[in-house]
Amino acid sequence: ENSREASEREMDLISPPLANTSTKDIFSAERFEIDFAARTATCPGKKTTDRWYVGERGIRIRFRASDCAACPLRSQCTTAEKNGRSLHISRYYEQLVRDRARVGTAEFRKLYKLRAPVEGTISQAVHQCGLRVSRYRGRLRRKFHALMAGTGLNVRRLVQPGARSVWAMSVR
């Protein structure tokens, strides 16, 4: 959902997408051809279904038991004994597929390397300065707390032995 919102705002979210958590013994949802416009799904055995159920938690796609019963790929596709295969996918599945494809690109890896130093800074701010949950009430006080925490981290870096900072390099 964060990726979709960032995309709508024309922002570039540099974050790895959720991993595929489907059962390892059967075909994952990526092996199915899912057409959101036509609301159909085609399995690796080339059977198509239009049985879509949209709920609060996502979309459930069901294949008929009669389609799966005689399929030679049944053992690789479902563990159900009586029913056909069912898929449970997020409403944001299309964005998730795009994000998973992007992770493999050289451009993403290059951008993700830029994120690493920032992760350390955020972790330090959360653990040493208590920025995850502010102890202050009111927007102005929370903002002041964040500014003081950032200032404290910067001062700490300046006086830390062996730290390379812009200030230390300009003094030479």
Side-chain angles (χ1 to χ4, degrees):
E1 187 175 343
N2 289 339
S3 180
R4 180 191 53 81
E5 281 185 31
S7 173
E8 286 176 358
R9 295 179 183 186
E10 298 180 7
M11 296 170 63
D12 193 12
L13 182 64
I14 310 301
S15 174
L18 292 174
N20 184 355
T21 58
S22 62
T23 306
K24 303 293 181 211
D25 300 338
I26 60 175
F27 292 138
S28 66
E30 280 118 14
R31 297 285 305 267
F32 290 75
E33 296 172 24
I34 300 173
D35 184 350
F36 282 84
R39 293 176 66 124
T40 61
T42 305
C43 73
K46 303 300 179 200
K47 299 288 183 181
T48 302
T49 186
D50 60 353
R51 298 171 68 195
W52 282 50
Y53 306 96
V54 180
E56 288 179 24
R57 298 181 65 196
I59 302 167
R60 186 177 65 180
I61 303 169
R62 300 197 66 186
F63 287 85
R64 288 178 174 74
S66 58
D67 287 340
C68 296
C71 182
L73 301 174
R74 180 181 175 83
S75 63
Q76 296 171 290
C77 194
T78 184
T79 57
E81 293 180 18
K82 296 180 182 177
N83 300 324
R85 172 69 189 259
S86 64
L87 296 173
H88 301 272
I89 58 174
S90 165
R91 291 183 297 232
Y92 313 115
Y93 181 74
E94 291 173 297
Q95 182 70 41
L96 181 63
V97 169
R98 284 192 297 270
D99 291 345
R100 285 180 180 163
R102 182 179 179 214
V103 166
T105 64
E107 176 197 5
F108 181 83
R109 286 191 297 273
K110 181 181 172 187
L111 289 170
Y112 197 67
K113 281 184 182 178
L114 297 174
R115 178 181 158 153
V118 175
E119 291 285 337
T121 302
I122 291 171
S123 176
Q124 194 176 18
V126 166
H127 291 98
Q128 294 176 1
C129 303
L131 280 186
R132 178 162 295 150
V133 179
S134 180
R135 65 187 92 179
Y136 302 105
R137 297 176 84 184
R139 179 181 284 174
L140 192 61
R141 289 181 182 157
R142 285 193 307 266
K143 186 175 181 179
F144 181 73
H145 176 219
L147 288 171
M148 288 296 102
T151 303
L153 289 174
N154 287 337
V155 168
R156 185 176 189 171
R157 286 189 182 142
L158 282 174
V159 298
Q160 189 175 15
R164 291 186 54 95
S165 66
V166 175
W167 178 77
M169 288 186 279
S170 65
V171 171
R172 292 183 193 178

